[in-house]
Amino acid sequence: MSKKKKKDIAKRRTQTKAKKQKRSKIKSLRSTPNVQLVEKPSISTIDTPPGFREISFSRGLMEYAKPLMNYVEKGIVKDPNDAFHITTHTWNFDIPLEQGEVKIDKKDIIKEIEKTLKMNSQESVEFFEMMIRRKEHLFPKDIQSDNPTTMFIRQEVQYIIPEFNYDSLNISEEIYAPTNKDVELVESLNKMDKNITDGTDYAEWEDHYFEVEEKCKEKFENWLKFKGIKGYSEVFPYNVEIYLNFIYRYMHDDPISLKKIKPVYIEEFFADYVLRKVIVEPHEYVTWPPALKLFYMFLKEIGYLERHEKFIKLLDEIEPVFVEILKEMYS
């Protein structure tokens, strides 16, 4: 990436730093009474203590639960929810109680471990104590911030974050002819965009959004297969679903849509939203930029966009910055 492009991205980030901290409000909460909305910084800009990395609470809980999830993978625990109950019980065991709450008895947790993981009494006691130590080891209390949505986790493993291999796509140059269902999707997207532009209340277009989301995933998957990209025909539509949620169901300072979105919002999607909201293996995050590039190509071919080049160019600029963020967080 050229120095100029890096400076342009850095400049946009500086100019919108204050605004970025406000965009962490879920759009569906606009009409919900008595909801306290907490501002939080971008997860990729938080200063972390040496030897630790920042992580969302939900992702942190999943990392903590790995010893239990191993029993699910081995088939010893059939229902993942049973393992997750033990996760939450051991996690909450040493957390101070709020007024009116009843502390879960240690003996009850150990019995739950014994029954669920099919252990004897001694093994279940040792497993309980291991989970208590694991929490303190991974998430020491004395280094945690006051922000309840973000935690610092000990960097136990270093991940290799490769750049996405675009040679693996082999995109067919055959021209795609939009079907009647593609035309219907374009009409649905335009209707969705009008709801946003007109400031229509979320409750009035929520059902329509989910219809659009399903149509986008289905038709995009068909398009990928037509273009010969079968290896990513499940992953890329999922990535697009996350992007659609960010565009249409997340609080922004400006009304935005797929065709009318400022660069700073796409930067926010990569630097914060996807890292905070999505739980995948670190190397899997690199599939988002190519997924969105292909999605904008798809939107152009079905007639929703007149031109898609500016989106591709912007994603080309953001992608190496995103990879560097991943390397800083996980390597």
Side-chain angles (χ1 to χ4, degrees), residues 12 17-18 65 110 113 148-149 158 227-228 234 268:
R12 286 196 294 265
K17 184 176 181 181
I110 291 174
I113 293 172
T149 63
Q158 289 189 333
K227 291 291 186 177
E234 292 185 7
E268 179 188 0

Side-chain angles (χ1 to χ4, degrees), residues 38-50:
V38 181
E39 295 184 1
K40 54 182 177 288
S42 166
I43 197 169
S44 65
T45 61
I46 298 172
D47 291 330
T48 58

Side-chain angles (χ1 to χ4, degrees), residues 48-49 51-55 63 151-153 155 159 329-330:
T48 58
F52 291 80
R53 61 182 171 87
E54 67 274 15
I55 193 170
E63 291 284 341
M151 307 184 72
F152 297 131
I153 184 172
Q155 187 83 348
Y159 295 89
M329 291 181 66
Y330 296 106

Side-chain angles (χ1 to χ4, degrees), residues 85-114:
H85 286 160
I86 297 175
T87 300
T88 55
H89 289 165
T90 55
W91 178 276
N92 293 325
F93 180 74
D94 63 346
I95 294 178
L97 298 178
E98 297 290 339
Q99 186 174 1
E101 290 184 338
V102 179
K103 186 176 180 67
I104 301 175
D105 191 270
K106 175 180 176 179
K107 293 180 180 179
D108 291 337
I109 300 176
I110 291 174
K111 286 181 180 178
E112 183 181 12
I113 293 172
E114 183 177 345

Side-chain angles (χ1 to χ4, degrees), residues 223-248:
W223 182 86
L224 290 169
K225 291 177 179 178
F226 175 85
K227 291 291 186 177
I229 312 173
K230 298 179 180 179
Y232 296 94
S233 60
E234 292 185 7
V235 174
F236 285 175
Y238 168 73
N239 294 359
V240 163
E241 176 186 344
I242 302 302
Y243 185 61
L244 290 170
N245 268 270
F246 172 76
I247 295 290
Y248 293 114

Side-chain angles (χ1 to χ4, degrees), residues 283-296:
H283 68 275
E284 295 177 307
Y285 286 112
V286 300
T287 62
W288 258 270
L292 297 193
K293 291 176 190 178
L294 290 171
F295 184 56
Y296 274 107

